[in-house]
Amino acid sequence: MIALITSIIAAAIRIATPLTFAGIGEAINEKSGVINIGLDSIMLSGAFVSFYVCNKTDNILLGVFAGLISGIIISLFHGYLAIKGKANQTIIGLALNFFALGLTSFLFLVGFGTSTELPTCRIVSNISIPLLNKIPILGEVVFSQNIFVYLLFLTIILSYIIMYKTSWGISLISVGENPKAADTAGIDVKKTRYLACIINGLLGGLAGSYLTLAQLGFFMENITNGKGYMALVAVILGKRNPLGIFLAALVIGVADATQIRLQTAGIPLPSEIFTMLPYFVAMIVLLFSIKNNKDPLALGTPYERNAR
Amino acid sequence: MDKKKKGKIISIFLIAIITLFISWILILLVGTSFTKACSGFYKGILGSSYNISEVLVKMSPLLLCSIGISVAFQTNFINIGADGQLYIGAIIATIVAMYFNLPTILVLIIALILGFIFGGMYSLIPGILKSKFGISEVINTIMLNYIAIGITGILVKTILMDKSGYFPMSPEIEASFPIIIGKTRLHLGIIISIVLALVVQFWLDRTKSGFYIRAIGQNVRASRCAGIKINKNILISAMLSGGFAALAGVFEILGVQHRLMVGISSDFGYTAIIVALLANNKPKNCILTSLGIAALQVGSLSMQRYAGVPSSIALLIMGVIVLLHLGNEALFPFLYKESK
């Protein structure tokens, strides 16, 4: 029983990792007042570019790097249309999802053809931390994961410090809550928002790299399959707090890991009953998280200096 | 103001040129000749009367879903759940056809009415969650898409399963909407959906309740001050949008596919979002844009057969067009600059 629970939690962490990466990026983006529903597009492009580069060069580091760049490009494009173009941010994010899905599917088919053999790439191996991995339960759950998971723990701590303990974090929040006041206080609203977009692209790209370079080792059409939206659930549920987002992603991860277990357990029920579980959990959990909803006041509204 | 209108018109041409240029590059990337690809595309949509009818068959669900999405977007209810709502309509149509022992005409009418009601109710879930609890409808509608597909999967493996077969699908359904041109799959749904688009446009433009819907989209605060009940109207638009998407599902089952299974919607509900966006959320514009998008999809499939260009090029081109359309003031600022 303990072995089962341990393995489910370990799997939940692996499922939660990309959601948390992307979620923290989105949280920073939203704190600045820009909402990007197109997390899926960032992850998808990160996943594809990472895979492509890693497949061609056999260099994982180079693959991750390229994935980050592609994520940043997509996120900056969203930022440009939202901040400069003052377009509806939700709609643009949505459109970016279509665009990225089309682009990655097209380039994948052009680059690798439609052979029956799935093209693959190297994936990162698990690193067991000596001594710590001997701790019962925790050793397997936390200290025998791949480099991305360790990077995730670092990102959670760092982003927490940046958001709540640095002056840039305060500018970030003020730009999202009251851009006019922030502008009056001498904070460059646009620069802060663009920087938040870059961070979102970076972390979203990393989430994408994780999918292809750590979890799967291959790419296929629509590989994210709605994970970007799941990350958005984690953002709302975690109230845009890095640690909260991780815990929220873990809840989704546990639901998903459990349903995979149940599917393979040989219970004579249609498998869809189990595959629906994470989506139900997401909706129900959202319903219980609505008390004291603290959206940044300027979320989704472009800043105009001369507007009244 | 005049300058702005002129800028908009020029931007449409610019978008067309950029899109053509990008498609040209993409086709070169594949390594086939542009003319071969174009002729494949042309044959696919206009090659014969059957091809033309196939475009219209594709257009019908896109149009119905996009009418609903347009109404929802007018009140800023970002309904991404049309795909799930379509499945609900399809399920209802299958149940009515399988279990209601009635003459065909009654089956068709009851399926349309019940489909509309249940699709509307399914869409009311995120509507209520948004208006009463303030939970993002974007996320809930997407979750409900997955859930609707899950429900379909469960049903076609259990009570709606074809017992004589092995695959998870319903038995073939005999009740069918009349085919309007012989030897094609073009059914009555296309005419009904075009009429509905015009009716809904009239409702939005010329009636009080339609005006409320538009007013909320323009300015929520002003509408609230004017005494318009915001939540009630959001719920109305949510319900209507779900209802129309469900009608698309009813027509798919009783007009085109005649069997319920997972996969009856080739992402109609998602593509319809693009249709609505390009139509500036106006149902009457949806008629033309859904025709265009359907032609693009059917044409690109044929381009894949004739010239080996992956059909995902359609999605890519749609994405480019929508992004250029939405961002045109940021991307082509020179068109909108006031000349002094």
Side-chain angles (χ1 to χ4, degrees):
Chain A
M1 191 63 197
I2 288 179
L4 179 71
I5 292 172
T6 316
S7 77
I8 284 184
I9 294 177
I13 288 185
R14 285 191 287 275
I15 295 166
T17 301
L19 304 184
T20 315
F21 272 128
I24 292 176
E26 174 71 14
I28 291 175
N29 214 355
E30 289 187 11
K31 283 269 183 196
S32 84
V34 179
I35 184 165
N36 187 353
I37 300 285
L39 271 189
D40 227 48
S41 64
I42 299 175
M43 288 170 77
L44 200 51
S45 66
F48 174 72
V49 173
S50 292
F51 169 75
Y52 186 88
V53 171
C54 186
N55 178 281
K56 298 291 176 204
T57 64
D58 210 28
N59 185 334
I60 289 180
L61 206 62
L62 214 60
V64 173
F65 184 71
L68 299 187
I69 300 291
S70 76
I72 290 173
I73 291 172
I74 298 262
S75 180
L76 268 182
F77 188 60
H78 178 273
Y80 177 76
L81 292 183
I83 298 166
K84 177 92 195 303
K86 303 185 173 69
N88 184 326
Q89 296 169 6
T90 306
I91 301 286
I92 291 192
L94 211 55
L96 270 175
N97 281 347
F98 292 119
F99 172 72
L101 181 58
L103 185 66
T104 52
S105 313
F106 183 83
L107 291 179
F108 179 62
L109 284 175
V110 171
F112 298 96
T114 46
S115 63
T116 46
E117 206 178 311
L118 206 61
T120 53
C121 69
R122 269 154 47 106
I123 59 171
V124 294
S125 45
N126 284 2
I127 305 167
S128 287
I129 296 178
L131 289 180
L132 290 176
N133 67 351
K134 294 286 189 293
I135 305 171
I137 301 176
L138 211 62
E140 193 191 331
V141 170
V142 178
F143 296 110
S144 310
Q145 300 276 16
N146 62 55
I147 182 88
F148 280 89
V149 179
Y150 299 126
L151 204 59
L152 177 73
F153 297 140
L154 194 68
T155 307
I156 294 170
I157 297 167
L158 269 182
S159 58
Y160 188 86
I161 293 173
I162 288 172
M163 280 162 85
Y164 298 109
K165 305 285 177 204
T166 64
S167 65
W168 188 77
I170 294 168
S171 337
L172 176 77
I173 290 165
S174 63
V175 158
E177 293 291 344
N178 192 336
K180 194 154 215 167
D183 194 11
T184 316
I187 297 168
D188 190 333
V189 175
K190 286 186 178 167
K191 205 168 124 193
T192 311
R193 286 187 170 175
Y194 275 123
L195 198 56
C197 285
I198 290 175
I199 295 174
N200 189 15
L202 191 108
L203 291 178
L206 199 60
S209 304
Y210 174 85
L211 291 179
T212 45
L213 300 187
Q215 216 169 15
L216 299 169
F218 61 85
F219 184 87
M220 58 184 185
E221 238 176 83
N222 195 12
I223 199 169
T224 53
N225 192 19
K227 287 202 175 57
Y229 296 106
M230 279 299 189
L232 289 173
V233 174
V235 172
I236 298 176
L237 197 55
K239 302 206 190 309
R240 301 187 183 82
N241 175 322
L243 195 62
I245 293 169
F246 178 58
L247 293 177
L250 265 186
V251 171
I252 298 169
V254 167
D256 207 15
T258 311
Q259 69 92 1
I260 294 170
R261 278 300 145 112
L262 287 173
Q263 259 191 71
T264 50
I267 303 166
L269 287 172
S271 57
E272 281 84 358
I273 291 179
F274 306 119
T275 50
M276 279 157 63
L277 191 67
Y279 306 111
F280 265 125
V281 168
M283 279 184 74
I284 289 165
V285 157
L286 269 182
L287 186 60
F288 285 106
S289 69
I290 43 166
K291 277 175 200 146
N292 55 43
N293 167 24
K294 278 186 277 186
D295 279 352
L297 284 174
L299 188 62
T301 36
Y303 175 58
E304 279 172 87
R305 184 171 258 178
N306 298 322
R308 300 204 308 145
Chain B
M1 200 61 210
D2 202 26
K3 175 89 184 167
K4 192 160 183 175
K5 216 166 200 172
K6 215 163 120 193
K8 276 262 184 289
I9 293 168
I10 301 173
S11 82
I12 291 175
F13 281 102
L14 262 178
I15 291 172
I17 292 167
I18 294 173
T19 311
L20 270 176
F21 180 71
I22 291 177
S23 343
W24 180 65
I25 290 181
L26 291 174
I27 288 166
L28 284 188
L29 216 61
V30 179
T32 37
S33 82
F34 190 65
T35 40
K36 195 175 163 196
C38 281
S39 85
F41 189 88
Y42 173 81
K43 268 183 212 151
I45 55 175
L46 293 169
S48 70
S49 57
Y50 182 77
N51 292 96
I52 298 174
S53 78
E54 278 302 293
V55 173
L56 295 174
V57 167
K58 261 252 154 78
M59 169 188 166
S60 171
L62 285 180
L63 179 54
L64 278 168
C65 290
S66 63
I67 296 170
I69 291 169
S70 299
V71 174
F73 279 15
Q74 295 259 2
T75 58
N76 274 327
F77 181 79
I78 309 295
N79 180 11
I80 312 186
D83 222 48
Q85 292 143 13
L86 185 148
Y87 272 100
I88 296 297
I91 292 171
I92 298 294
T94 312
I95 292 175
V96 171
M98 275 175 71
Y99 288 105
F100 288 27
N101 221 339
L102 293 167
T104 306
I105 176 82
L106 282 179
V107 166
L108 299 179
I109 293 171
I110 292 174
L112 283 176
I113 294 171
L114 286 185
F116 189 88
I117 292 172
F118 276 87
M121 276 166 34
Y122 197 66
S123 176
L124 267 184
I125 300 171
I128 291 170
L129 288 175
K130 175 182 173 140
S131 63
K132 290 269 185 290
F133 303 104
I135 307 173
S136 162
E137 75 281 19
V138 174
I139 289 170
N140 277 329
T141 47
I142 288 169
M143 298 300 131
L144 285 169
N145 281 345
Y146 290 109
I147 291 173
I149 292 174
I151 294 173
T152 310
I154 294 170
L155 289 177
V156 293
K157 282 179 186 172
T158 53
I159 55 166
L160 297 181
M161 186 165 172
D162 183 2
K163 294 286 187 290
S164 64
Y166 175 76
F167 296 106
M169 53 166 78
S170 75
E172 185 155 357
I173 289 159
E174 282 179 22
S176 171
F177 281 99
I179 301 292
I180 52 179
I181 300 172
K183 285 182 186 152
T184 68
R185 299 199 293 165
L186 193 57
H187 55 89
L188 192 65
I190 182 69
I191 295 173
I192 296 179
S193 46
I194 290 174
V195 171
L196 274 177
L198 296 172
V199 169
V200 173
Q201 185 69 58
F202 181 84
W203 170 69
L204 281 173
D205 286 346
R206 297 294 159 90
T207 66
K208 202 164 87 180
S209 50
F211 172 75
Y212 289 163
I213 299 278
R214 281 189 298 131
I216 291 173
Q218 297 289 328
N219 191 332
V220 176
R221 207 167 140 215
S223 308
R224 186 174 291 129
C225 294
I228 298 174
K229 292 195 179 66
I230 309 293
N231 283 348
K232 187 182 132 196
N233 280 292
I234 289 179
L235 288 181
I236 290 174
S237 75
M239 206 196 70
L240 285 177
S241 72
F244 285 122
L247 287 187
V250 174
F251 282 120
E252 276 307 291
I253 290 297
L254 299 178
V256 185
Q257 315 206 15
H258 301 288
R259 261 183 208 276
L260 179 69
M261 62 179 113
V262 170
I264 49 159
S265 162
S266 26
D267 285 345
F268 290 130
Y270 295 99
T271 313
I273 296 170
I274 295 179
V275 173
L277 290 177
L278 291 178
N280 294 326
N281 303 335
K282 289 205 172 74
K284 69 167 193 275
N285 296 357
C286 286
I287 299 173
L288 263 184
T289 46
S290 63
L291 179 65
I293 296 291
L296 179 64
Q297 287 191 319
V298 173
S300 66
L301 274 174
S302 135
M303 199 154 80
Q304 177 168 329
R305 283 194 302 273
Y306 280 94
V309 181
S311 66
S312 44
I313 194 171
L315 195 59
L316 178 47
I317 290 174
M318 282 189 268
V320 169
I321 297 175
V322 169
L323 283 173
L324 291 175
H325 174 71
L326 292 172
N328 78 64
E329 289 188 32
L331 296 169
F332 319 122
F334 48 89
L335 290 178
Y336 301 97
K337 234 175 238 154
E338 293 293 331
S339 47
K340 281 176 188 164

